[in-house]
């Protein structure tokens, strides 16, 4: 009988004690220990087994689990006597920043101080230890939610010393989801304050700590070294493009297919691969996210699991408010194409507002993109950065982005649907009515402004293009800012079945008071540009007759729209 698949359990001993479904990842213990690295940072997407692996490490090394050999019996790590003797022999400090998501720096600082205080409370027996001097015990008592910055920054350093004095052995520090507060700080605007606080704490805990044996941090992103890791020259960084620990997080295809067979789901292998395969770590392909697979094994249903486990608010904000080029490249991605971009795995959050490659780097680290190919850096000219070929990770991620784009128009969903219907029916009056309603309700989402028509196009209508791609992809091939005739059109809808649907060209212009007297003039300028630049030529070359090609000019003035 197959073991029970328990969802959401991140405690290793709870899984083992209850004989819940578990794929053996204990080889990670050996790989990490034999690496010899002082301080290791491993980045993986969310829901990829980071917390469970950290729990496994704690319970393997910690003196508090000295008598729990049973947790590891029958697993790969227990085959070697060296590791059987190593189990339960180190003082371990384990903490997680996964729930540090408060608004405002003071609230985040207080939450971190509470976590540090809890570590001390759990080890209050040290106050009775003869190995600690009176001064040490005074420091111990100062650690509280309201401690000053110096004590907060030194708390892990002090605790390492106290444990070393008591046990006579250096400590292992495990910090899970180290970057969660960083993402919140970027979104809420207290980045600089948190960086100063965190840098001091990390330096004291991981760099100037003579009582440290090893340390491991996990997170989703590698925050730039210039911010919180500037003092850590002993840091080994393992990202999604590294080969180290490639199979320690996530499930391999063999592990997934074996689990499907065990549960009588062998007939679903092909569709499971289509939906959930696609993660690539270093040169290791065919990695699956554990969250989706566990839920699939539990329910037997193919649907979006991993993509629905968080709000994806930062990703949505960056894409929604992105400029024309960003949205055009995102259009290509959700239509199954790949894009090329330099990647910097040291995420500089302050650059996310104006550096497109920083956004693609964040999406790669977060698991939404995968690397198909990469130029070899040793072949590059000095000063050049290698280009990475990127694509959406898998079908589940594509479905998530479809849902996200639809969400941009949720407040105007009925009007948006009516506009699309009116456009397909060539009902100009209805198009004007519904487009003005949509614009009124959704413009603020896209950070639009009144630019002259020669400036950067409105972010709104590129978001609008994405909406049409999501809803009309089965009927039309939709492209934006493509070349045709003597220029670049804004949006072209090429019918997949020309005998049933008309082709449509949309040209967008922002009202320019210096050159135009009214929105009607702006509409006319858009239509004249379509004609003058021969935008329909590409469609004609593909055999679509002129009478089946419709052109519309859109004129914008603030939230007011006129279509002709």
């Amino acid at each position: 009988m197959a073991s029970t698949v328990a969802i959401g359990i991140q405690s290793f001993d709870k899984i083992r004690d209850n004989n819940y479904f578990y794929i053996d990842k204990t080889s990670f213990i050996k790989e990490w220990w034999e690496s010899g690295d002082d301080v290791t940072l491993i980045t993986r997407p969310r829901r990829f087994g980071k917390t469970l692996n950290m729990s496994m490490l704690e319970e393997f090394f910690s003196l508090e689990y000295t008598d729990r050999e049973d947790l590891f019996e029958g697993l790969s790590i227990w085959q070697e006597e060296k590791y059987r003797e190593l189990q339960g022999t180190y003082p371990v400090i384990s903490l997680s920043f996964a729930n540090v998501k408060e608004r405002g720096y003071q609230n985040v600082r207080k939450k971190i101080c509470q976590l540090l205080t809890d570590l001390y409370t759990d080890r209050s027996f040290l106050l009775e230890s003869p190995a600690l001097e009176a001064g040490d015990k005074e420091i111990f008592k100062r650690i509280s939610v309201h401690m000053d910055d110096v004590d907060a920054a030194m708390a892990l350093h002090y605790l390492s010393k106290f444990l070393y004095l008591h046990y006579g052995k250096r400590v292992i520090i495990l910090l899970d989801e180290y970057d969660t507060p960083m993402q919140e700080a970027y979104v809420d605007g207290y980045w600089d304050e948190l960086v100063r606080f965190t840098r001091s704490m990390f330096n004291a805990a991981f760099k100037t700590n003579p009582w440290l044996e090893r340390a491991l941090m996990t997170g989703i992103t590698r925050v730039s070294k210039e911010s919180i890791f500037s003092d850590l020259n002993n840091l080994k960084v393992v990202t999604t493009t590294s080969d180290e620990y490639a199979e320690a997080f996530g499930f391999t295809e063999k592990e997934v297919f074996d689990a499907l067979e065990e549960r009588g789901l062998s007939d679903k292998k092909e569709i499971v691969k289509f939906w959930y395969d696609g993660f690539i770590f270093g040169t290791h392909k065919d990695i699956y996210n554990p969250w989706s697979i566990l839920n699939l094994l539990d329910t037997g249903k193919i649907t979006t699991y991993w993509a629905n486990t968080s709000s994806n608010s930062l990703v949505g904000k960056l894409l929604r408010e992105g400029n024309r080029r960003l949205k055009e490249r995102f259009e290509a991605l959700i239509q199954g194409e790949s894009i090329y971009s330099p990647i910097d795995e040291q995420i500089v959050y302050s650059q996310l507002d104006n550096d497109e490659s920083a956004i693609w780097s964040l999406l790669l680290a977060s698991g939404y993109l995968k690397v198909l190919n990469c130029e070899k850096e040793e072949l590059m000219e000095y000063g050049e950065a290698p280009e990475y070929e990127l694509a959406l990770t898998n079908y589940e991620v594509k479905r998530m982005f479809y849902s996200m784009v639809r969400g941009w128009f949720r407040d105007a969903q009925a009007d948006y649907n009516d506009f699309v219907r009116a456009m397909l029916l060539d009902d100009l009056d209805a198009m004007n009515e519904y487009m003005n309603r949509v614009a009124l309700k959704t413009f603020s989402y896209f950070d639009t402004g009144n630019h002259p028509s020669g400036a950067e196009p409105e972010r709104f209508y590129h978001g609008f293009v994405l909406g049409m791609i999501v809803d009309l992809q089965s009927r039309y091939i939709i492209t934006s800012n493509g070349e045709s005739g003597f220029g670049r059109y804004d949006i072209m809808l090429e019918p997949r079945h020309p005998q049933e649907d008309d082709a449509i060209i949309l040209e967008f212009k922002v009202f320019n008071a210096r050159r135009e007297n009214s929105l009607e003039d702006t509409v006319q300028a858009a239509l004249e540009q379509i004609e003058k630049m021969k935008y329909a030529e590409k469609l004609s070359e593909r055999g679509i007759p002129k009478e089946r090609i419709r052109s519309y000019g859109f004129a914008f003035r603030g939230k007011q729209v006129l279509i002709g």
Side-chain angles (χ1 to χ4, degrees):
M1 179 179 174
S3 55
T4 300
V5 176
I7 303 300
I9 296 179
Q10 299 178 323
S11 174
F12 182 75
D13 60 342
K14 187 173 183 179
I15 288 175
R16 296 293 288 164
D17 285 340
N18 291 281
N19 196 31
Y20 292 144
F21 175 81
Y22 175 69
I23 290 179
D24 187 356
K25 296 293 178 181
T26 56
S27 59
F28 171 53
I29 299 170
K30 178 180 178 180
E31 185 177 1
W32 178 60
W33 196 250
E34 295 189 357
S35 73
D37 297 318
D38 279 346
V39 184
T40 307
L41 168 63
I42 301 176
T43 66
R44 286 293 183 269
R46 57 191 170 80
R47 296 289 191 176
F48 248 84
K50 297 188 295 293
T51 300
L52 180 58
N53 274 354
M54 293 293 258
S55 173
M56 175 185 72
L57 285 178
E58 179 186 6
E59 294 171 17
F60 182 81
F61 287 105
S62 177
L63 285 160
E64 297 178 23
Y65 289 84
T66 299
D67 298 323
R68 293 306 311 269
E69 298 97 337
D70 58 300
L71 294 175
F72 298 92
E73 289 174 354
L75 300 177
S76 64
I77 194 65
W78 215 244
Q79 294 173 5
E80 295 187 42
E81 183 179 355
K82 169 185 174 181
Y83 286 95
R84 292 197 295 271
E85 293 176 353
L86 189 61
Q87 194 272 326
T89 58
Y90 277 91
V92 176
I93 300 171
S94 179
L95 72 161
S96 172
F97 286 170
N99 293 318
V100 183
K101 299 178 179 180
E102 276 63 28
R103 298 183 69 89
Y105 169 68
Q106 289 302 326
N107 289 329
V108 167
R109 183 192 182 284
K110 184 177 181 181
K111 184 70 168 284
I112 292 174
C113 288
Q114 181 64 65
L115 293 172
L116 296 171
T117 302
D118 291 345
L119 292 174
Y120 277 70
T121 301
D122 292 343
R123 294 159 178 82
S124 57
F125 64 85
L126 290 171
L127 289 170
E128 307 300 324
S129 174
L132 272 66
E133 296 180 357
D136 295 325
K137 294 178 181 179
E138 285 302 314
I139 292 174
F140 193 109
K141 293 174 183 177
R142 289 207 308 262
I143 303 302
S144 72
V145 174
H146 305 293
M147 60 185 149
D148 62 28
D149 281 352
V150 174
D151 281 341
M154 293 294 292
L156 291 174
H157 181 102
Y158 292 149
L159 188 56
S160 301
K161 175 187 177 182
F162 302 155
L163 289 168
Y164 173 79
L165 292 174
H166 181 74
Y167 289 112
K169 199 162 188 178
R170 289 197 292 264
V171 305
I172 293 172
I173 299 178
L174 305 175
L175 174 56
D176 191 28
E177 304 289 0
Y178 86 98
D179 59 337
T180 298
M182 302 296 159
Q183 295 198 35
E184 299 300 321
Y186 166 73
V187 172
D188 286 342
Y190 53 89
W191 174 264
D192 291 341
E193 294 170 291
L194 185 63
V195 162
R196 283 192 294 270
F197 178 77
T198 308
R199 183 194 296 126
S200 298
M201 180 170 59
F202 284 6
N203 182 55
F206 303 126
K207 176 68 184 296
T208 59
N209 187 350
W211 303 284
L212 178 68
E213 178 68 32
R214 300 275 184 91
L216 177 66
M217 289 182 279
T218 68
I220 294 175
T221 58
R222 175 188 181 181
V223 177
S224 68
K225 186 174 181 179
E226 287 69 26
S227 53
I228 61 173
F229 296 132
S230 57
D231 297 324
L232 299 186
N233 55 13
N234 61 335
L235 181 66
K236 169 68 175 181
V237 180
V238 178
T239 68
T240 56
T241 62
S242 307
D243 280 320
E244 296 97 330
Y245 312 117
E247 296 183 359
F249 300 84
F251 295 160
T252 65
E253 187 158 275
K254 182 180 186 306
E255 289 168 342
V256 171
F257 285 1
D258 285 350
L260 290 173
E261 289 177 4
E262 183 182 342
R263 279 161 172 72
L265 299 172
S266 297
D267 59 321
K268 293 187 181 292
K269 287 181 181 179
E270 187 174 340
I271 191 169
V272 167
K273 183 176 178 64
F274 172 70
W275 269 73
Y276 307 118
D277 183 21
F279 293 91
I280 300 172
F281 298 146
T283 57
H284 296 250
K285 298 183 178 182
D286 299 320
I287 303 293
Y288 294 67
N289 78 76
W291 182 255
S292 294
I293 298 304
L294 289 173
N295 277 277
L296 164 68
L297 295 175
D298 182 44
T299 66
K301 297 178 181 178
I302 303 288
T303 186
T304 52
Y305 295 110
W306 180 77
N308 288 337
T309 56
S310 76
S311 63
N312 306 302
S313 57
L314 177 56
V315 170
K317 176 181 184 293
L318 294 170
L319 292 172
R320 186 179 67 243
E321 297 177 2
N323 60 25
R324 169 187 57 80
R325 176 176 164 82
L326 181 79
K327 285 197 175 77
E328 286 172 357
R329 304 186 86 193
F330 184 54
E331 290 164 22
L333 287 169
I334 66 172
Q335 293 189 91
E337 301 172 25
S338 59
I339 64 170
Y340 292 83
S341 174
I343 291 295
D344 186 353
E345 293 185 293
Q346 294 193 59
I347 305 298
V348 182
Y349 278 82
S350 61
Q351 294 179 0
L352 290 173
D353 292 326
N354 50 34
D355 183 351
E356 182 188 320
S357 66
I359 295 176
W360 301 130
S361 300
L362 177 65
L363 289 173
L364 175 64
S366 302
Y368 302 118
L369 298 178
K370 61 184 175 183
V371 175
L372 299 181
N373 287 294
C374 176
E375 294 178 305
K376 294 187 181 299
E377 193 162 3
E378 63 264 28
L379 303 179
M380 308 298 295
E381 294 290 334
Y382 177 76
E384 292 183 344
E387 292 267 314
Y388 288 72
E389 183 182 3
L390 305 169
L392 293 187
T393 304
N394 54 35
Y395 185 65
E396 184 183 25
V397 169
K398 183 176 182 178
R399 290 281 293 259
M400 182 209 78
F401 280 125
Y402 272 27
S403 177
M404 184 186 74
V405 170
R406 287 193 178 103
W408 295 348
F409 298 96
R410 188 167 293 121
D411 290 346
Q413 191 64 54
D415 295 320
Y416 169 79
N417 292 340
D418 287 337
F419 167 80
V420 172
R421 192 176 301 112
M423 181 181 69
L424 297 177
L425 295 172
D426 194 21
D427 185 341
L428 192 60
D429 289 339
M431 287 173 68
N432 274 279
E433 173 71 22
Y434 294 123
M435 174 54 81
N436 274 279
R437 293 184 188 178
V438 171
L440 188 65
K441 294 176 181 177
T442 64
F443 252 46
S444 59
Y445 283 165
F446 299 96
D447 188 30
T448 55
N450 291 312
H451 301 292
S453 65
E456 181 184 14
E458 294 282 1
R459 300 178 185 204
F460 164 77
Y461 61 73
H462 279 286
F464 192 71
V465 175
L466 287 165
M468 288 197 292
I469 288 173
V470 167
D471 289 331
L472 295 176
Q473 195 174 44
S474 62
R475 290 177 66 173
Y476 285 92
I477 300 169
I478 301 173
T479 53
S480 69
N481 204 37
E483 293 186 6
S484 184
F486 300 111
R488 302 181 73 87
Y489 55 83
D490 273 340
I491 303 173
M492 181 180 289
L493 287 82
E494 180 183 346
R496 296 185 184 276
H497 306 287
Q499 66 279 12
E500 298 175 11
D501 293 313
D502 289 346
I504 299 172
I505 299 171
L506 309 179
E507 181 70 21
F508 295 82
K509 281 192 176 297
V510 179
F511 174 71
N512 188 327
R514 289 187 295 107
R515 295 203 299 260
E516 297 148 2
N517 295 318
S518 65
L519 283 177
E520 286 78 2
D521 292 343
T522 310
V523 168
Q524 190 58 37
L527 293 172
E528 288 174 359
Q529 181 169 321
I530 293 173
E531 189 67 28
K532 178 182 177 181
M533 304 305 288
K534 298 185 178 181
Y535 290 162
E537 193 171 280
K538 181 178 178 181
L539 296 167
S540 298
E541 289 173 354
R542 297 187 179 178
I544 298 176
K546 189 174 181 179
E547 62 273 14
R548 297 299 300 272
I549 301 174
R550 288 191 265 131
S551 300
Y552 297 99
F554 285 61
F556 290 84
R557 181 168 55 195
K559 295 183 180 181
Q560 185 181 2
V561 188
L562 181 66
I563 306 171

